[in-house]
Amino acid sequence: MTDFLLELRSEEIPARMQAGARTDLERLFREQMKAAGVEHGDVSVWSTPRRLALIAKAMPERTEAVSEEAKGPPEGAPDQAVDGFCNKNGVTRDQLEVRDVKGRPTYFAVKNIPGRDVKDVLAEAIPAIIRAFPWPKSMRWGDASISTESLRWVRPLSGIVAILGEDLVECEVHGVASGFATLGHRFHHPGEITIGGSDDYIEKLRACHVIVDHEERQGMVRQQAETAASAAGLNLVADEGLVIENAGLTEWPVPLLGRFDESYLDVPPEVIQLTARTNQKYFVCNDAAGKLANAFICTANITADDPAVIVDGNRKVLAARLSDARFFWEVDQKTKLAEHAKKLERITFHEKLGTVADKVQRIAKLARWLAEEGVVPGADPDMTEMAALLCKADLVTEMVGEFPELQGLMGGYYARAEGLPDAVADAIRDHYKPVGQGDDVPTAPVTVAVSLADKLDTLVGFFLIGEFPTGSKDPFALRRATLAIIALSASCHNLRLQKAISISVGTHLGEEIVADEFRQHFIIYACDFEWTEKLIAEARNIAENLSGQLAATRANWFYGLAKIPEFFADRLKVQQKEAGVRHDLIDAVFALGGEDDLVRLLARVKALQSFMETGDGTNLLAGYKRAANILKKEGFEGTDRIARTGEEDPLSLVDDPDVGSIVAERGKGGDYEREPAEQALVDALDKAEPAANAAIEDENFGSAMAALASLRVPIDTFFDDVTVNDENRMKRTARLALLARFVAAVHKVADFSRIEG
Amino acid sequence: MSSPNSSVVRDPAKSFQDMILCLHDFWSAKGCLVLQPYDMRMGAGTFHPATTLRALGPEPWNAAFVQPCRRPTDGRYGENPNRLQHYYQYQVILKPSPPQIQEWYLDSLKVIGIDPLKHDIRFVEDDWESPTLGAWGLGWEVWCDGMEVTQFTYFQQMGGFDCKPVAGELTYGLERLAMYIQGVDNVYDLAFNTQGVSYGDVFLENERQMSTWNFEVADTDALFDLFRKASAECRLCLEKGLPIPAYEQAIEASHVFNLLQARGVISVQERASYMAQVRDLARGSCEAYMAKYSVQWAAAYPEWVA
């Protein structure tokens, strides 16, 4: 048993690719060893900008000899069959063995694969690993690149160290031969170093100013940056992405703190941080009060005699960048946001959905509607509309042109600077939120209205033009937009999707076809939430009865729109599952149908979740299931049977409020003496039904559940004391009807048949 | 490396021109032809035919030259200490890319006075792409104490053709390097020579007037006309099997397009279309260049396939 060291040296490997390269190196190595039957111990991989390294522990010196045997035709089979078997297994006829298989002499081919020196296996594996390496971007170089078949690597491959134990594994790829020699730090130790093996590799390189272990370098960057900050009485603004990047750019990281001119602090701190981070990969620091300080931390790759020289160079570069940023900051403010917004006409949002200016107009209408209708309580309609009209204006500012990630944020700063109300400035700043899971969800009413309108507009627009997400492809981030809508609905009084979407559809179809009868027709459909089926039927109708481009476009609108409810429901389930809600509870509420108010839907799921965590919930469920089973067994479940017997179905109109009392009357049964438990259940239902209905009406789903909970004891007692299947047909029917009434009552709150347990 | 002209006392830290001469000496000693700037207006040294056209084909090609670059939109009327509409690039093109190209480059920095044990030199990923030239390559921007001083690229494609073999291209930003080496914060304060002439003495008035012309004066009708004429001339040359003059017209069209941009008369929508036109001219020229020499190259380099 011995250890194996592999080092692949390269001209500077991009920092962002190093983590992937480590994973790939280990995977390819393991695959090669597995294929060759080499068992080995732990594998470690490291990277620096100039090398990938791997150490595999406990490698054998030889692979085990393996014997493989294959069963062939029986003795006496036609020559053709026997020869074919021999060819297939690479043996000659006289090498075949004959063995008895269930009384028949049968040919066997036995192949003895001898063990191999692992050194030879590695000599083949290394070139194979290098050739198969999946770099995100690779290139050719040097003399060999006269052919496009030449090796491709992330940057020129410059050296290979491959040592098994103390022996060189000899191999060559693209003119690079393996050896014992590697290079130390580019500047601190320009000469060659001879490596003995895996034991001295790390330490020899360390002596030559190379820290091979990327995690160790990350630790150095993190810790020394913190130390430098605290030595200056500041706090480092932690940034793990920068830690990893700087560790990927250096073999000998030396964080250094510098200061920039205090006057730049007039520029918003986010801008300074982003400038420092994106362009220069510098950390920034906060002062004791938590405000951004005029300090930066760069990470050098050398220990210089006079680090001040390096710091000063970096300071100048940052100053030039900050001076640009300040220029943008000042220039942008010379123009009001409303003026900037006019330039949005020049930016295409999507070729079929118009310019960003068009989108802004749509958002403004929809946002205003959300405010006026009280969908978002507390949102002042005028402020909401103003915020919506300005929310994208910063896209044409110099600052956002330079730093697109500052969209929204800059708009917020500029809005405040020109004296717009805070609610408007906040809405402009935060209307992109929530951007993903874990992002803050706005709760300020104006912000919620603008954000909702923006996302609804995007969702409806792309569905109208048939740009649906498929599989892993969601180029317009419609899933994210939908999840954001769901999250934002927490701040809504109600959010009737069909209504909101139909308003959005109206804004999309534009003023120019306002007089078009078709548009009216379409919007009526959009408002009628029998959605899916009707819309698809209408699409077919149009496609069949109209011809030409217009018909196709219109048919597609319907198809597109018809897909929204299902897409929404799917997102809702995903979101609820991720929020820890049981999927069967979601189904139980969704299965009721007819509810398009997102707020009510979610409230009901939430109430059901709490209820099912109580003993009342689980017992009621057991009672429900038992009742439903009996009804099913007795066939007391639909109109069919009753219709067949010619009797009126007492439950067919159970959901109709006008006949509810009649049904209840029926449920009380005929003129026989009810047993006490039976009567108790009737009494309980008489109380619970109106209570639950009233609670649902009030959107108080917790109370609705509590009303149901009152049925738990009566139903349990009923099952204990009363025989449903009484000989007396009248009693039996009455009791089945009572159970059906119970089931229907429960069903009004949620479809309990979907709940597991 | 010892200077081949050690009898000449040259201190790159003292003047802009001495720095250029040091680079000339250095790359000349490495076997590069020291060429002169191309006598046309262009946005980057990469447009020089010694780079673009010579990057095609199998023949070895090593050259170094200074190329004045014009970027009309970068003009600041001489008021910005870092931005110019006219500046110099130092270009080195080495084909095929030699194995020690990075070491040579670092040596060249030492020659102009940058000690990598005093200054933090870094190779930071920066892939290069020129849609106008149908070209791309992988490489780095080289940082010196956080400042980008050189673009270092291994050309993979030029004019839409695979580079066979690959050329290494180094583009030094001369003013930036000089500012760094001379410790000057304003480009116009650079010592151009050692006799007291500054960069500003040579170019400040030029920047003011050219900025005014680029942004405010240039006759846009005449420029649109120039663009059309250059395109037509390029196509004519291509018909006649003359890739080099055709390529010159592509350079011309590209610069005229940049001027039109500076005048703000090209809308966002039109921009893409103009860029596509320039790309077609440049690609067409490269294609014609390849077509003209392919047979001859294939004969001389059997391992080379067009």
Side-chain angles (χ1 to χ4, degrees), chain A residues 10-17 50 137-148 152-156 183 185-188 246 249-250 279-282 298-306 309-311 313-317 320-321 323-324 327-328 345-348, chain B residues 58-59 76 80-83 96-103 106 110 115-127 136 138-141 143-148 152 154-157 162-167 176 179-180 183-185 267-269 301 303-305:
Chain A
S10 165
E11 294 180 11
E12 276 75 354
I13 304 166
R16 70 186 170 92
M17 297 182 190
R50 297 179 76 200
K137 272 187 183 174
S138 59
M139 54 164 277
R140 296 172 297 117
W141 69 93
D143 292 347
S145 63
I146 196 160
S147 160
T148 49
R152 285 168 194 270
W153 196 249
V154 61
R155 293 292 183 275
L183 295 174
H185 188 278
R186 203 183 253 296
F187 306 116
H188 281 302
N246 277 300
L249 279 165
T250 49
N279 295 320
Q280 298 300 135
K281 312 185 195 307
Y282 299 157
C298 58
T299 309
N301 190 32
I302 52 170
T303 301
D305 292 339
D306 185 5
V309 173
I310 295 174
V311 170
N314 280 284
R315 180 193 57 77
K316 278 189 196 173
V317 183
R321 298 271 190 192
S323 148
D324 270 350
F327 174 76
F328 298 148
E345 285 164 19
R346 296 188 209 159
I347 306 177
T348 306
Chain B
E59 292 168 324
R76 293 293 184 270
N80 185 303
N82 298 300
R83 277 188 196 266
S97 63
Q100 58 294 60
I101 182 168
Q102 277 189 309
E103 282 66 38
L106 292 167
K110 286 180 201 160
D115 178 347
L117 282 172
K118 293 194 173 121
H119 297 284
D120 183 36
I121 308 293
R122 225 86 70 67
F123 291 86
V124 180
E125 176 190 17
D126 191 30
D127 301 337
W136 68 276
L138 298 190
W140 310 274
E141 50 183 47
W143 284 14
C144 174
D145 297 338
M147 181 171 62
E148 181 194 347
F152 190 138
Y154 289 99
F155 286 152
Q156 301 295 300
Q157 276 203 333
D162 283 330
C163 295
K164 295 178 290 188
V166 163
R176 279 181 178 198
M179 285 166 75
Y180 200 84
V184 162
D185 283 348
S267 72
V268 178
Q269 285 80 6
Y301 298 86
E303 69 274 43
W304 185 83
V305 188

Side-chain angles (χ1 to χ4, degrees), chain A residues 558-576:
Chain A
F558 278 102
Y559 277 124
L561 210 52
K563 279 180 182 262
I564 297 183
E566 191 192 348
F567 180 74
F568 225 101
D570 285 349
R571 287 305 101 199
L572 202 47
K573 285 184 193 169
V574 168
Q575 185 265 353
Q576 288 287 291

